[in-house]
């Protein structure tokens, strides 16, 4: 039975028609990413039904601290997935096992430490992120349950999904992430309204849903322990053989991009808070809606990362090139469709979240601007993924720094002074399109180098 499963996985990575292979790996990942965004939006939606802009604003202020958990999951999940896929491409299953054990245990430990630190520094951190007298209490409660209590399950949920995807278990990875998302959507109204816990209820629901999803992944690994190289068994844990360095190098660009995204959102929160809590709430709603398009690009590229890495390590250059072209074409088409939809229907979509005219107006205006990042994000994510999958270190790091932090924060500050609140919204798309120019400048010479090394494959 195990031999049959292993042959099926090898067929997916080596021989399955490229379009089908991309679909098999990317579709479950995209669906799970969308469900993750929907359950994050569900928090905003159900909190919004309280018609209290202060609580919506509090959830927005707390988001950078929570998103940092995703950064940790990407550091060990994407970094580990890239190395494991290359090991499997070479047929080195033992190193793949040791890499998986390192990623699982180190990710859990890092999450616990992070959660405790955030708990201790809340009185200083939350005002820095933008909490004021009206939002601090709500924000503090939300962070306690989602970040302090929920740190380890949240990180393990996302990291394990990345890792098991490297062996072709894309459907199972997608199911686990979706399970947490659907459960969160179901629990939100129970805790927020039925138990009258308001924003605290949303936080508890998020923590519990991530815990259930993490438990599902651990149960899956136990049931497939004789077939999979993804194992948490302590005997495989090691910090030798260069495993930590390769994992961290592979995951660092995604980690930095997410962390700089947190910093960027924190600066944005501080700027927008200076106008009003309605503006903060509207901006938060707009960013959550835009994350649906963001999640499609992220899901497509994360889904095919193992496929690109496997074929790179096994020397299947032509197949790798075809995977990249197919994925980029599909992602760009969906990104352009999302931009048009969000721009045309920004008002009605924002109005679904809260019955407050001022908040809806701010959210509509923000959404019509930030939706223009969708196409550039699609290309930037694909380029970063290719560099990560092929063991390049400098290029994805540079692009991650450009996408968030080094460009958009100065632009926010400059445009805030020059054009006020309306100008702040334009910082994100401007930064992303500038990063796209650099992405192409780095990727096109690298793609020519790959074609030359592979014997002059057609472009």
């Amino acid at each position: 039975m195990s031999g049959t499963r292993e042959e099926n996985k090898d067929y997916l990575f080596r021989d399955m028609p490229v379009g089908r292979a991309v679909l098999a790996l990317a579709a479950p990942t995209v669906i799970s990413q969308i469900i993750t965004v929907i359950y994050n939006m569900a928090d905003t939606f159900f909190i919004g039904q309280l018609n209290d802009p202060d609580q919506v604003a509090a959830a927005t202020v707390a988001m950078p601290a929570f998103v940092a958990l995703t950064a940790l999951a990407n550091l060990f999940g994407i970094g580990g997935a890239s190395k494991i896929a290359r090991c499997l491409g070479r047929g080195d299953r033992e190193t793949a096992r040791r890499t998986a054990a390192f990623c699982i245990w180190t990710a859990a430990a890092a999450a616990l430490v992070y959660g405790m630190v955030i708990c201790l520094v809340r009185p200083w951190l939350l005002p820095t992120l933008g909490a004021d007298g009206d939002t601090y209490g709500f924000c503090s409660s939300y962070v306690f349950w989602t970040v302090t209590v929920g740190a380890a399950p949240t990180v393990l949920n996302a990291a394990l999904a990345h890792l098991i995807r490297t062996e072709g278990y894309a459907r199972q990875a997608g199911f686990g992430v979706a399970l947490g998302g659907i459960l969160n959507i179901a629990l939100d109204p129970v805790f927020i309204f039925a138990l009258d816990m308001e924003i605290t209820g949303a936080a508890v629901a998020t923590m519990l849903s991530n815990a259930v999803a993490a438990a599902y992944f651990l149960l899956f690994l136990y049931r497939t322990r004789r077939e999979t190289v993804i194992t948490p068994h302590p005997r495989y844990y090691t910090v030798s053989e260069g495993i930590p360095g390769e994992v961290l190098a592979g995951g660092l660009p995604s980690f930095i991009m997410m962390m700089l995204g947190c910093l960027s959102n924190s600066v944005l929160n501080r700027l927008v808070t200076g106008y009003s809590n309605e503006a903060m709430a509207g901006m938060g709603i707009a960013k959550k809606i835009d994350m649906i398009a963001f999640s499609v690009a992220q899901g497509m590229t994360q889904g095919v990362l193992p496929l690109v890495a496997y074929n790179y390590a096994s020397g299947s250059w032509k197949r790798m090139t075809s995977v990249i072209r197919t994925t980029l074409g599909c992602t760009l088409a969906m990104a352009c469709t999302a931009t048009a939809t969000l721009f045309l229907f920004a008002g009605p979509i924002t109005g679904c979240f809260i019955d407050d005219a001022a908040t809806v107006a701010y959210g509509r205006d923000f959404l019509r601007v930030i939706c223009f990042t969708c196409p550039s994000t699609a290309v930037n994510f694909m380029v970063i993924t290719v560099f990560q999958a092929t063991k390049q270190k400098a290029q994805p790091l540079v692009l991650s720094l450009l996408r968030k932090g080094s460009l958009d924060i100065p632009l926010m500050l400059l445009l805030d002074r020059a054009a006020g609140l309306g100008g702040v919204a334009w910082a994100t798309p401007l930064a992303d399109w500038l990063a796209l120019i650099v992405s192409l400048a780095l990727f096109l010479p690298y793609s020519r180098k790959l074609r030359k090394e592979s014997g002059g494959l057609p472009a």
Side-chain angles (χ1 to χ4, degrees), residues 192-215:
I192 294 173
F193 303 115
L195 298 179
D196 198 26
M197 295 175 68
E198 298 187 318
I199 192 173
T200 302
V204 172
T206 298
M207 181 273 295
L208 290 175
S209 64
N210 281 319
V212 170

Side-chain angles (χ1 to χ4, degrees), residues 212-233:
V212 170
Y216 161 80
F217 283 123
L218 293 174
L219 179 62
F220 172 80
L221 293 181
Y222 177 78
R223 294 180 63 182
T224 59
R225 63 192 181 280
R226 293 183 177 85
E227 296 133 17
T228 181
V229 299
I230 311 303
T231 174
H233 200 294

